[in-house]
Amino acid sequence: MLASALEFKDVFPRYQQRDSDYQYLPSEEDWIHVQEVCSFLELFNELTKIISGSEYPTSNLFLPELWQVKEILDQQILIGSSFTKAMTIKMKTKFDKYWGQCNLVISIAAILDPRNKIKLIEFAFPIIYEHEVSANQIVLVKNSLYELYNEYVTAHEEKKSNKNLNGDSNGDGFDPTSNANNEKGKAIMTGRSKFDNFIRNIDTVQHAKSELDIYLDDDIYICQNDETHFDALEWWKTNNLKYRILSKMACDILSIPITTVASESTFSAGGRVIDNYHASLGVETVQVLLCGEDWFRHLYG
């Protein structure tokens, strides 16, 4: 809206000449403020576009933009005009209120992006937090990452044990002394087939490093020049055989939506969906009302 207003800056005085009731002609100082704010909010406009999608945004996309917001807020407080400083201080107060504590899900999701790994945390946290705080937050994220991974390892081992207990002694569902497979018309498993099946399911070989250690020690993935959009979930799908357990954890974390609130509501001048008069409605009732409203909007355009 501000960018559009700037394009028609010369129209406002002409409009005042034609309409005597027009009393709110912006002064030259006002236009300077509009220009400053428009330039300042350009980053937020791009960030809004990134997180407003409904199909592609995964939770790994948020932290790289978050630290840049903090950086531009700090810069604006130092070098901005008195007008933008007053606005930025209020924005920074709200930013620190919501992001003063580390968001572990967003941080872990950023690490599970092969373009970032732990390097992004070490790069961004000193910008978002004070020096002493950032060091503690980095340690907290690392410990939480390993703790979460160990839970997935434990769950995987329990699942494998239960599978072996419910199956036969061979663990592959095939009894070489039985003719049941032949009687049912199924093909006999060859030696190659049995070995391939064994390799797909075996996890008995203990490596000196865990999957998480191997992933973090590997080189950071560098996107090609013609790679305009990187799909983190597709990368983990491709590397599923290399990271059997970690890929499962990555898919669970990355599939968490960045936000459940439409970005437009942040800039809306209207009231909240659930006001004081509707605060006692049940969750299902609210969902039904919102769904019905959406259907009506679609039906009548």
Side-chain angles (χ1 to χ4, degrees), residues 63-241:
L63 186 61
E65 309 304 329
L66 185 67
W67 73 263
Q68 193 175 7
V69 169
K70 177 62 183 300
E71 185 179 47
I72 196 173
L73 289 176
D74 290 339
Q75 289 177 352
Q76 197 67 26
I77 290 177
L78 292 176
I79 64 176
S81 65
S82 58
F83 175 77
T84 55
K85 276 184 180 180
M87 179 181 66
T88 306
I89 290 174
K90 294 180 180 179
M91 296 174 68
K92 188 174 183 299
T93 301
K94 179 167 286 190
F95 182 94
D96 293 337
K97 174 184 177 182
Y98 285 97
W99 301 107
Q101 296 294 327
C102 175
N103 188 304
L104 290 176
V105 174
I106 290 177
S107 301
I108 292 176
I111 296 175
L112 293 176
D113 187 329
R115 300 170 300 170
N116 305 329
K117 299 192 177 180
I118 203 70
K119 296 297 183 182
L120 178 64
I121 302 297
E122 296 171 346
F123 171 77
F125 274 29
I127 299 176
I128 299 177
Y129 307 105
E130 299 293 337
H131 178 69
E132 297 79 6
V133 177
S134 66
N136 295 331
Q137 297 288 11
I138 292 173
V139 173
L140 174 63
V141 171
K142 288 182 178 179
N143 293 339
S144 301
L145 175 65
Y146 276 91
E147 182 179 350
L148 181 62
Y149 171 74
N150 291 333
E151 290 184 9
Y152 273 82
V153 172
T154 302
H156 179 77
E157 294 296 333
E158 291 178 353
K159 182 178 179 181
K160 186 178 66 173
S161 299
N162 293 335
K163 182 178 180 180
N164 291 336
L165 289 174
N166 295 331
D168 52 28
S169 58
N170 294 315
D172 58 5
F174 179 77
D175 185 359
T177 62
S178 174
N179 293 326
N181 290 328
N182 293 337
E183 294 174 357
K184 295 180 180 179
K186 296 183 178 179
I188 298 176
M189 292 185 68
T190 64
R192 180 78 252 177
S193 306
K194 292 187 64 178
F195 180 72
D196 290 344
N197 189 48
F198 170 76
I199 290 299
R200 292 190 186 96
N201 295 281
I202 188 172
D203 290 299
T204 57
V205 179
Q206 298 296 326
H207 299 281
K209 291 183 177 181
S210 66
E211 289 183 9
L212 181 56
D213 290 324
I214 295 173
Y215 167 75
L216 294 177
D217 290 340
D218 281 348
D219 295 335
I220 289 181
Y221 178 80
I222 305 297
C223 294
Q224 303 299 323
N225 294 331
D226 57 348
E227 192 173 357
T228 56
H229 174 63
F230 176 77
D231 190 338
L233 288 174
E234 184 64 28
W235 187 91
W236 281 104
K237 181 180 179 181
T238 304
N239 292 271
N240 176 56
L241 293 179

Side-chain angles (χ1 to χ4, degrees), residues 49-61 229 254-258:
K49 292 178 181 178
I50 292 175
I51 67 175
S52 294
S54 58
E55 296 180 358
Y56 67 85
T58 45
S59 51
N60 58 302
L61 301 178
H229 174 63
L254 295 177
S255 59
I256 298 175
I258 294 178

Side-chain angles (χ1 to χ4, degrees), residues 38 40-50 52 267:
C38 188
F40 174 58
L41 294 182
E42 186 174 1
L43 170 65
F44 296 90
N45 182 47
E46 294 301 318
L47 175 59
T48 302
K49 292 178 181 178
I50 292 175
S52 294
F267 309 100

